[in-house]
Amino acid sequence: MIKKPMLLACAAVFAALPLSAEDAKPEYPSPPEIVAKAKAEEWVAIAPSDLLVMDLAPDAKGNSRRVVIQLMPPPFSQGWIGNIRKLAAAKWWDGTAVVRVQDNYVTQWGDPTEKKALPEGLANVSEADYVYPKSLARPRALDGLFVPPNEVSRWTSFHQGFPVAGVGTPDSERNWPTHCYGMVGVGRNLSPDTGTGAELYTVIGHAPRHLDRNIALVGRVIEGIEHLSSLPRGTGPLGFYEKEEERVPINSVRLGNEIADLPAFEYLSTESASFAAYADARANRRDPFFITPAGGADICNIPIPVRRKA
Amino acid sequence: MIKKPMLLACAAVFAALPLSAEDAKPEYPSPPEIVAKAKAEEWVAIAPSDLLVMDLAPDAKGNSRRVVIQLMPPPFSQGWIGNIRKLAAAKWWDGTAVVRVQDNYVTQWGDPTEKKALPEGLANVSEADYVYPKSLARPRALDGLFVPPNEVSRWTSFHQGFPVAGVGTPDSERNWPTHCYGMVGVGRNLSPDTGTGAELYTVIGHAPRHLDRNIALVGRVIEGIEHLSSLPRGTGPLGFYEKEEERVPINSVRLGNEIADLPAFEYLSTESASFAAYADARANRRDPFFITPAGGADICNIPIPVRRKA
């Protein structure tokens, strides 16, 4: 029996449910149990230079608030990511702020004055770069797990640890990253503006997939999302904070290789056997709490396991 | 041009994007604009007796925190909802607390001591009641909008203002509510326990659809979700608060008809023409910010508009 009766006992990626000694061993491991047993070689190290580390001002109790973002690998969004590297090198975000928190949607940060000069040499990236116009390797073993079901001409999958979607025939494939929880994107003005990368947001609600192919995604939060998702919601239009004192100051944003005490991070390879077993278990929960497996999961309900390297 | 340049300009259900005077009128209204123009008769009044009103203790700044939940209409979950009416009548939740906040998952509340005596006469509801085993009227005009696409034997839709899914042939249909953002469910222990309704949770992240048909859904938060979604995340296993002082006290929970100053609420009929236009616009964004319409939306990315009655 579960030790805390009457409480919803559900899957956290890294929190296995405590079972008491008299329980029979479950026949099917839960997703976190599968992740815990993955082999060391199934984990992929994330280069510190591919991390963006944002330190917010401490909270009201003086606790530090660090958010770690993994930047996307090629072939996606590299124009904006190049800009982001330059902005971090220029310490451009230091002294900027979280300016918007819209419930079930996004938390957004940047320059509240909208007047701070940008560093020189930022690229003006084309809308065409919202999509990668070629075929992309993906782990075909997962094809049967997704809702909606993958078809020859339309699919979702993972590429190097990021959720992606695609359409087309083999000689005309188009792929793009998907707006899952925690993904980080680039605020922009009306088309043809695509944003520089100076104004960023992260998804803090149900996946707003209508933004796919309409805004550049550049990464995802791998640690500290709670510092952005649990902020007070803004009361202005679109969730903008109405008063200056509501904004959350950003002390600094740096690339990971510039932070001396940063732990090493790794993600479970989306090409690995353990990831396939984990994804299958997310799509078909058979661990003791569940009665009726769903028979599939949407791409955003299979979060990619990330951990600090032991 | 958008007045706040460089900022992600996206749809809030009730916040139309401010356009300056020199802008051409957009050819396609946004989802909030469609909702704003819905006819009075397309809105459905929610009976106060179908509302559950939870007042949390005021926040650190002394602001009140009221959460309003609409209980589901028949044929869904009426056994648990009957229990919830009895628990509210007995003032059972007064002095209980929010005990768990797990990021991208759920906020949960109930009796932290797990020892408080329940009122007499609560029903022991069967697992069979997670699903309604008959056919259900649904607005067929929406059938083409959903991702995954509706098929004869498998679909998503809306029923009396709630999101539902179903499977089966016309003579063997089965329908159930879906775990979208803000939906409220009943915590339980391992099967065959189904929970009484004393322990409740709401979804504060990407829809955990694997819980569908595995837990009873009893309603959804229609106002004040931010008081539950923006709480500090719990640091214990599954997001439980580890210390007593972290819990958020619940001052009272009452049915809406027992609250003198409660505003009247109404929802946009999911059978109305305006809802069909709104859902179409959510699935195919053509308002000025968007370049590439998605071509469909999943059931949880079409939130049902609810408002205070003027």
Side-chain angles (χ1 to χ4, degrees):
Chain A
M1 296 295 289
I2 298 168
K3 281 181 178 160
K4 280 184 94 69
M6 299 303 301
L7 298 172
L8 174 69
C10 307
V13 173
F14 296 113
L17 196 64
L19 298 170
S20 61
E22 68 272 26
D23 278 308
K25 215 168 186 183
E27 196 172 350
Y28 293 100
S30 69
E33 289 166 346
I34 292 167
V35 171
K37 287 182 184 167
K39 295 173 186 167
E41 62 265 29
E42 294 182 304
W43 292 89
V44 180
I46 303 172
S49 57
D50 289 334
L51 297 175
L52 194 67
V53 181
M54 174 163 70
D55 286 332
L56 304 177
D59 70 13
K61 292 176 182 164
N63 299 311
S64 62
R65 292 189 280 188
R66 173 166 284 185
V67 179
V68 182
I69 295 163
Q70 180 187 5
L71 297 171
M72 289 191 68
F76 295 115
S77 305
Q78 295 302 299
W80 294 279
I81 290 170
N83 287 351
I84 287 168
R85 293 181 188 283
K86 286 176 184 161
L87 287 155
K91 306 183 180 179
W92 188 84
W93 282 289
D94 298 15
T96 63
V98 176
V99 294
R100 173 190 187 190
V101 186
Q102 183 172 352
D103 196 68
N104 190 20
Y105 203 38
V106 296
T107 293
Q108 186 169 323
W109 59 96
D111 169 30
T113 71
E114 300 173 29
K115 289 175 183 168
K116 189 170 183 176
L118 292 166
E120 286 187 16
L122 297 190
N124 187 0
V125 191
S126 161
E127 289 179 344
D129 289 0
Y130 293 150
V131 169
Y132 176 65
K134 295 182 188 170
S135 71
L136 204 65
R138 62 180 194 268
R140 302 284 176 152
L142 308 179
D143 270 2
L145 301 176
F146 296 109
V147 173
N150 278 359
E151 299 167 17
V152 171
S153 64
R154 183 175 288 273
W155 60 88
T156 50
S157 193
F158 297 96
H159 181 72
Q160 293 188 46
F162 278 86
V164 296
V167 294
T169 54
D171 58 348
S172 69
E173 272 191 36
R174 296 163 59 76
N175 290 275
W176 60 88
T178 59
H179 269 85
C180 296
Y181 192 93
M183 289 288 280
V184 175
V186 174
R188 67 164 170 87
N189 210 323
L190 288 182
S191 169
D193 180 63
T194 64
T196 58
E199 188 85 23
L200 296 172
Y201 64 90
T202 190
V203 174
I204 60 160
H206 188 74
R209 296 285 308 279
H210 51 286
L211 298 178
D212 292 1
R213 296 182 284 179
N214 285 286
I215 299 191
L217 286 169
V218 291
R220 71 150 177 270
V221 177
I222 61 168
E223 193 171 279
I225 183 78
E226 67 275 16
H227 302 309
L228 299 172
S229 60
S230 69
L231 292 174
R233 276 46 181 157
T235 51
L238 305 174
F240 280 96
Y241 286 133
E242 297 184 277
K243 296 173 188 166
E244 189 177 332
E245 60 266 30
E246 294 175 298
R247 294 177 191 144
V248 181
I250 294 171
N251 284 355
S252 72
V253 176
R254 297 286 182 277
L255 288 173
N257 53 304
E258 293 180 2
I259 307 273
D261 61 344
L262 194 70
F265 291 92
E266 53 191 7
Y267 70 90
L268 185 59
S269 167
T270 45
E271 276 73 23
S272 69
S274 289
F275 186 85
Y278 160 79
D280 177 70
R282 290 284 301 176
N284 300 285
R285 296 296 297 268
R286 304 179 196 89
D287 38 316
F289 186 79
F290 289 84
I291 306 162
T292 307
D298 75 89
I299 185 72
C300 295
N301 204 11
I302 306 177
I304 293 102
V306 176
R307 68 180 185 188
R308 290 182 176 206
K309 198 166 177 173
Chain B
M1 296 297 288
I2 297 166
K3 282 181 179 158
K4 281 184 93 70
M6 300 303 302
L7 298 171
L8 174 70
C10 307
V13 173
F14 297 113
L17 198 63
L19 299 170
S20 62
E22 68 272 26
D23 279 307
K25 215 166 186 182
E27 197 172 350
Y28 293 99
S30 68
E33 289 165 345
I34 292 167
V35 171
K37 287 181 184 167
K39 295 174 186 167
E41 63 265 30
E42 293 182 304
W43 292 88
V44 180
I46 303 172
S49 57
D50 289 334
L51 296 175
L52 194 67
V53 181
M54 175 163 68
D55 286 332
L56 304 177
D59 70 13
K61 292 176 181 166
N63 298 310
S64 62
R65 293 188 279 190
R66 172 167 284 185
V67 178
V68 182
I69 296 163
Q70 180 187 5
L71 298 170
M72 290 191 68
F76 295 114
S77 305
Q78 296 300 300
W80 294 279
I81 291 170
N83 287 351
I84 287 168
R85 294 181 188 283
K86 286 178 185 161
L87 287 156
K91 305 182 180 180
W92 188 83
W93 282 289
D94 299 14
T96 63
V98 175
V99 293
R100 173 191 186 190
V101 185
Q102 184 173 353
D103 196 68
N104 190 20
Y105 204 37
V106 297
T107 293
Q108 185 168 324
W109 60 94
D111 170 29
T113 70
E114 300 171 29
K115 288 175 184 169
K116 190 169 181 174
L118 292 166
E120 286 187 16
L122 298 190
N124 186 359
V125 191
S126 161
E127 288 178 346
D129 288 0
Y130 293 149
V131 168
Y132 176 65
K134 295 182 188 170
S135 71
L136 204 64
R138 63 180 194 269
R140 300 285 176 152
L142 309 180
D143 270 1
L145 301 176
F146 296 109
V147 172
N150 277 358
E151 299 167 16
V152 171
S153 63
R154 183 176 287 273
W155 61 86
T156 51
S157 194
F158 297 96
H159 180 73
Q160 292 187 46
F162 278 85
V164 296
V167 294
T169 53
D171 59 347
S172 69
E173 273 191 36
R174 296 163 60 76
N175 290 275
W176 59 89
T178 58
H179 270 83
C180 296
Y181 191 93
M183 291 287 282
V184 174
V186 174
R188 66 165 170 87
N189 210 324
L190 287 182
S191 169
D193 179 62
T194 64
T196 59
E199 188 85 23
L200 296 172
Y201 65 90
T202 189
V203 173
I204 60 160
H206 188 74
R209 297 285 308 279
H210 51 286
L211 298 178
D212 292 1
R213 295 182 285 179
N214 284 286
I215 300 191
L217 285 168
V218 292
R220 72 151 176 270
V221 177
I222 61 167
E223 193 170 280
I225 183 79
E226 66 275 16
H227 303 310
L228 298 173
S229 59
S230 70
L231 291 174
R233 278 43 182 159
T235 51
L238 305 175
F240 280 96
Y241 287 133
E242 295 183 277
K243 297 173 188 167
E244 189 176 333
E245 60 266 31
E246 295 176 297
R247 296 176 190 144
V248 181
I250 294 171
N251 284 354
S252 72
V253 176
R254 297 287 182 277
L255 288 172
N257 53 303
E258 294 179 2
I259 308 273
D261 61 345
L262 193 70
F265 291 92
E266 54 190 6
Y267 70 90
L268 185 60
S269 167
T270 44
E271 276 74 23
S272 68
S274 289
F275 187 85
Y278 159 80
D280 177 70
R282 290 283 303 175
N284 301 284
R285 296 295 297 267
R286 305 178 196 91
D287 38 317
F289 187 78
F290 289 84
I291 307 162
T292 306
D298 74 88
I299 185 72
C300 296
N301 203 11
I302 306 177
I304 293 102
V306 176
R307 68 180 185 187
R308 290 182 174 204
K309 197 167 178 173

